[in-house]
Amino acid sequence: DYEELLLQHGANVYQKCDKNRMPIHYLFLANHQSAVDPIDLLSVLTTAMKDQRIDETDCNIQSPLHLAAWIGATICCLHLLKRKADINRLDKNGNTPLSFAVSRGHDSCAIILIQNGANVKANVVRAPESKSEPQKKKKPLWKWKPLVAPETTSEKETYTVFQEAIT
């Protein structure tokens, strides 16, 4: 209800941060570990936005539909699609919303996207992890040192949606 109060007092629903994200993007980023679909707040935001600019992308060229598919918010995906969100938009790595739904195991979300015309020939692209980000790993009690170092690659890995779904 805080959101509705802010909107009643003139909060700017189109305000962007330094990552080019609007509140509609943060709706999904804030709920990425929740099992609850944030459809109530999405409805409030899209109504306040008069269904305009709901397909704008952030610094990763990800739309709110990408982020909804990432967290498996099936009802939110359907809501955004009914408001003309681009179902096959590619992010900076070449992933579509369907790529995210499949790679994260959100079957119902993937089905909704396919039923609404998502490109089933889309790829799932896994970008290499950034080495600048600190790794939060537990310190092992012992460390195995292989005789031969495993082969690693700093290139993107690309799979078809079907390959990702069966692995």
Side-chain angles (χ1 to χ4, degrees):
D1 292 330
Y2 293 113
E3 296 85 4
E4 290 176 356
L5 181 65
L6 288 169
L7 291 172
Q8 288 171 0
H9 286 86
N12 183 358
V13 292
Y14 303 111
Q15 182 69 41
K16 292 186 177 185
C17 70
D18 61 335
K19 293 183 179 181
N20 207 38
R21 293 178 177 146
M22 296 187 300
I24 195 170
H25 290 95
Y26 281 105
L27 169 66
F28 301 110
L29 294 170
N31 287 300
H32 75 279
Q33 293 182 342
S34 174
V36 178
D37 192 313
I39 187 61
D40 292 339
L41 186 50
L42 179 63
S43 296
V44 169
L45 276 174
T46 55
T47 299
M49 296 171 78
K50 298 178 177 77
D51 294 336
Q52 302 296 312
R53 297 175 58 185
I54 59 145
D55 209 30
E56 289 198 19
T57 59
D58 65 6
C59 61
N60 296 315
I61 320 298
Q62 293 174 347
S63 68
L65 183 58
H66 278 95
L67 301 175
W70 177 262
I71 68 167
T74 305
I75 300 168
C76 287
C77 285
L78 194 55
H79 182 84
L80 291 166
L81 289 169
K82 291 198 182 280
R83 281 149 186 81
K84 308 293 185 225
D86 184 354
I87 197 167
N88 291 311
R89 181 185 300 264
L90 298 175
D91 73 358
K92 75 176 186 178
N93 291 317
N95 286 304
T96 64
L98 178 60
S99 303
F100 282 161
V102 169
S103 69
R104 305 272 298 167
H106 302 303
D107 298 339
S108 61
C109 189
I111 290 168
I112 289 295
L113 292 168
I114 291 168
Q115 288 174 337
N116 282 276
N119 179 8
V120 295
K121 294 182 180 179
N123 290 324
V124 175
V125 182
R126 291 199 181 117
E129 290 185 25
S130 173
K131 293 186 180 186
S132 63
E133 296 176 10
Q135 297 294 325
K136 294 181 180 179
K137 293 183 179 178
K138 291 183 180 179
K139 187 175 180 180
L141 296 175
W142 57 275
K143 186 174 183 178
W144 176 68
K145 293 185 180 181
L147 295 175
V148 178
E151 196 173 304
T152 60
T153 178
S154 61
E155 296 184 24
K156 294 179 185 177
E157 296 178 27
T158 304
Y159 306 94
T160 67
V161 168
F162 291 119
Q163 286 174 313
E164 185 67 22
I166 62 171
T167 57

